[in-house]
Structure formats: structure tokens, C-alpha cells
Amino acid sequence: MSTTFMFLLAGIFLTVLMVVGVHELGHFLAARLLGIRVLKFSLGFGRELASFTDRKKTRYSLSLIPLGGYVSLLEESDATNEDRHQVFSRQPLWKRFSVIAAGPLTNLLFALLLYWIIFMTGFTSILPVTGEVTPHSIAKNAGMSSAQQITQVDGTEVKSWTGVMFRILDHIGNHDILKIETKNRHSNVTHHYTLDLSTWKLDPLKPDPLGSLGLSPWLPKISGKMNTQTPTLPGWLLYKNKYDPLTAFRHAWQNTRDFSVLNLKMTVRILEGQLSLKSLGGPISIFGQAGQALHNGAVPFISFVAFLSIAVGIINILPIPGLDGGHLLFQIIESVTRRPISERLMALFQRIGIIFIVMIAIQAIVNDLMRLK
């Protein structure tokens, strides 16, 4: 069994265990704290690989298909006279709302915790110094050249290529302008550029935001045509990120907030048709990225898990029947109308929501397969 395949399997297991497990743990803990009986806590779907039952008669299971998980709560059909007060549907509205909202909220808090740990532990970033600028590209037409350090994008300070990419991604689907400020490494002379994105084309299946603008990171050249070793980066190109707990928390909060907003924006743009459905990633992409991130080290893997946890949390609050957001929407309607939605109407909405989710999932898997070509 190859090392790459081993990392892929490890990435799949750890990603599901952490991201899905944390989401379902949020539902589970909220239900337990509010006196609602939990029948089952499952990671994965399908045939059970391992399971046990605790003293409160909750069954915990690890199942074969690692594409999600669920928490099963006590309902009327399974209740006896003794435990009918623990039925989920019998609880006050605020309790039911809290249990459902706890899943996505726990995902966001988990991401915040992971980013906090990363910023306190410390990691090294590469300063965003431009390499060769592609002729006739958007960046070249704006006047950009190589060996310039990007200091601001759209008026926001950036100290790494990750920061640059984040600001660029905010423009995907729009045909506006991108403002970049740079400085020369030796003279510290500042330059301002306005990139016209009206002709910006980005491959939705294999996006390369930097390359599509004509930009690339600066890396030292390696002598010899057959030399494939990774070049040693000079000290001036590296930037150390390590902060005291309070400052680290502020950076972690900013990361969590910014990535949450970005996920919401991308989702809205897909729904509005500004972004192609081909940009969606399915389980193959996610697990491949998880394996690669784990292969690259602890910090890249933890950062990937944090970002994915945010994505799972944001997706689940969308008001789509079948997701947590759909249940929250039903409860908001109930709070306004002072009566629950009829079971027949709720079942209809649930079917529509499930069909929509399945269609999106199929599109994401098709995209994954096309990316493998």
C-alpha cells in the first residue's frame, strides 16, 4: 500500500472524525443538556463497523460510509409513558431551536479553536513577492512586474499569499476591479495598480485565481534542467506568525469571520448564477485535499480542517429543508404563526429539499470525476 494512499485514508478518517463528529457532538450535547433523550450518535452511514451503548441507552456507532453522520432523538413513536417528557417534538420551541442550531455553531467554534491554536503555536508564511508576470494578462496590462511585494489588496493589509488569495476570491463571479498595492523589496517604493476584471476567466473545475490573473509567487531558480528538488527559500522571503494568546485569538476570530462570510458569498453567487455549479467540490476533492494537507504537515492539515468545519457549518444553516437551516426555518415560522407546520406540508418540503441536496451532491461528484481527467 503506497504512502500516498495511506495519507489519503488517514486524511479521510481524521477529517470525518473531527468535522462531522464535532457537528453531531454539538447536537448531542445540546440535547443531553436540555433533557432530550438521544437514541443514537453515528459517524458515517451504512453498515456499522463498531458500536456500543451507554448507561442512558444511547447507541454510539462508527459506520462504513464516511460521508456524514447523524444524531437520532427520541420521538413519539418510540417513547413510553416513562420517557415521554424526553421526546424532542414535545419540547418548548427554544429547546428545539437550540438543539438544531448547536451543530453549525459548534463547527464555527471548533474552527475558531483550531485557528487559535495555530496562531499561538506559530507557523511560517511566504511573503507575497511576485514572480514572472504573464505577458498580455490582466496583471501585466495593469502594469505589474516581477519582484514586487504585495502589501495591500483592496485596501486591506496582506502578509502572505493566503491573504492575497482570500481577497482575490472575494471577486470571483464579479466583473469589477481589484486594487493592489506593492513595494519594491530594496527601495520600499510604493506602487498602486488597478486590475480590470471585466475579462477575467477562471476555470471552475480547476481554478487558479493567481495564474488566471497572470501572477505567480516568486521562487529562487534551481540550476540544472533535471533538478526537481524543492528550492530552499531565503530568510527574507519568510514571515513568522506567532502571537500571545490574546492577539492569537483576535487573528483566529478574524479568520473564522472572514472565511464564514466568504463561504456565504460563494453560496449566494452560485444560487444567483454568478458562479458555475462546476465550481462545487465533492467527496473526492475533499478527501484528496485532506490527504494532501495531512501529508504536508500538522499546520496545513489543521488549517484545512478548520476551513472545512466552517464550510460545513455555513452550509448547514442554509434554509433548505433537509439541512439544519431548514429545520430552523420551520421553527421560526412556528414562532411567528404560533402553531407548527402540518406534518404533511413539512414532509413535502423535506422531499423537495432532499431532491435538491441529492442533485447538488451528484453535480459535485460529476465535477470531481471531471477533475480526475
Side-chain angles (χ1 to χ4, degrees):
M1 188 176 292
S2 68
T3 303
T4 302
F5 186 65
M6 288 292 292
F7 273 111
L8 177 61
L9 288 180
I12 292 173
F13 177 76
L14 290 175
T15 303
V16 170
L17 185 65
M18 286 190 280
V19 177
V20 176
V22 161
H23 181 89
E24 300 306 332
L25 184 63
H27 293 309
F28 171 81
L29 291 177
R32 277 283 178 91
L33 288 171
L34 295 174
I36 302 169
R37 186 178 165 193
V38 180
L39 299 178
K40 188 173 183 180
F41 180 103
S42 176
L43 290 179
F45 299 103
R47 186 168 65 87
E48 289 186 355
L49 301 177
S51 66
F52 70 93
T53 303
D54 67 9
R55 290 180 298 177
K56 294 186 177 182
K57 298 182 180 181
T58 299
R59 185 179 181 85
Y60 303 85
S61 67
L62 180 65
S63 300
L64 180 63
I65 305 174
L67 297 178
Y70 61 93
V71 169
S72 178
L73 304 176
L74 182 66
E75 290 293 355
E76 291 282 359
S77 58
D78 300 310
T80 63
N81 290 331
E82 290 76 18
D83 58 12
R84 200 167 295 279
H85 65 285
Q86 295 179 304
V87 170
F88 175 72
S89 59
R90 284 177 169 259
Q91 306 305 313
L93 183 62
W94 71 268
K95 284 190 177 184
R96 286 180 279 140
F97 192 94
S98 298
V99 170
I100 294 172
L105 179 60
T106 306
N107 275 123
L108 299 181
L109 292 176
F110 181 56
L112 177 64
L113 174 63
L114 292 181
Y115 282 131
W116 191 24
I117 292 172
I118 289 174
F119 281 112
M120 284 193 295
T121 304
F123 61 96
T124 301
S125 300
I126 300 176
L127 289 175
V129 177
T130 58
E132 183 179 353
V133 180
T134 306
H136 310 296
S137 64
I138 292 175
K140 191 69 173 180
N141 292 339
M144 295 190 68
S145 58
S146 62
Q148 294 181 308
Q149 181 181 334
I150 300 174
T151 56
Q152 289 189 12
V153 179
D154 290 334
T156 301
E157 182 183 11
V158 292
K159 294 183 178 180
S160 67
W161 282 111
T162 301
V164 174
M165 288 283 289
F166 178 82
R167 299 300 162 188
I168 292 175
L169 289 173
D170 195 36
H171 290 268
I172 290 181
N174 295 329
H175 297 285
D176 50 5
I177 59 173
L178 176 69
K179 294 183 178 181
I180 294 180
E181 178 184 295
T182 69
K183 70 175 182 179
N184 293 340
R185 189 171 70 87
H186 298 292
S187 64
N188 283 331
V189 176
T190 301
H191 302 274
H192 296 86
Y193 303 97
T194 300
L195 280 64
D196 181 4
L197 303 181
S198 60
T199 59
W200 189 25
K201 294 181 180 179
L202 188 67
D203 185 348
L205 282 177
K206 298 179 180 180
D208 179 14
L210 278 178
S212 63
L213 294 175
L215 296 173
S216 62
W218 183 89
L219 292 173
K221 293 182 180 179
I222 304 175
S223 60
K225 293 183 179 179
M226 300 304 292
N227 194 339
T228 58
Q229 294 180 349
T230 302
T232 301
L233 300 177
W236 63 264
L237 193 61
L238 302 178
Y239 176 79
K240 184 68 174 179
N241 301 269
K242 187 175 182 180
Y243 305 99
D244 62 84
L246 186 59
T247 307
F249 185 82
R250 180 168 57 83
H251 283 283
W253 173 265
Q254 183 178 349
N255 261 28
T256 305
R257 180 199 64 195
D258 289 349
F259 282 124
S260 297
V261 172
L262 180 64
N263 271 282
L264 282 172
K265 284 183 178 179
M266 295 301 105
T267 302
V268 170
R269 288 173 190 174
I270 288 176
L271 294 175
E272 291 178 346
Q274 289 182 282
L275 278 180
S276 170
L277 286 174
K278 291 182 179 180
S279 61
L280 293 171
I284 298 175
S285 293
I286 293 172
F287 293 152
Q289 292 169 18
Q292 185 61 46
L294 183 60
H295 183 74
N296 290 337
V299 170
F301 178 69
I302 294 173
S303 182
F304 171 77
V305 171
F307 179 78
L308 186 60
S309 187
I310 290 173
V312 169
I314 295 300
I315 288 172
N316 269 279
I317 64 172
L318 297 179
I320 299 172
L323 298 177
D324 292 336
H327 291 291
L328 293 176
L329 177 62
F330 292 151
Q331 293 183 4
I332 291 172
I333 293 174
E334 180 181 339
S335 69
V336 173
T337 61
R338 301 294 182 180
R339 61 181 181 180
I341 297 176
S342 69
E343 292 186 5
R344 183 176 179 181
L345 188 58
M346 186 176 294
L348 174 62
F349 285 141
Q350 293 281 14
R351 291 191 189 99
I352 294 173
I354 290 173
I355 291 172
F356 176 78
I357 294 170
V358 169
M359 291 175 63
I360 293 296
I362 291 173
Q363 177 68 58
I365 293 172
V366 170
N367 294 345
D368 283 351
L369 296 175
M370 293 179 67
R371 291 185 181 105
L372 294 176
K373 293 182 179 180

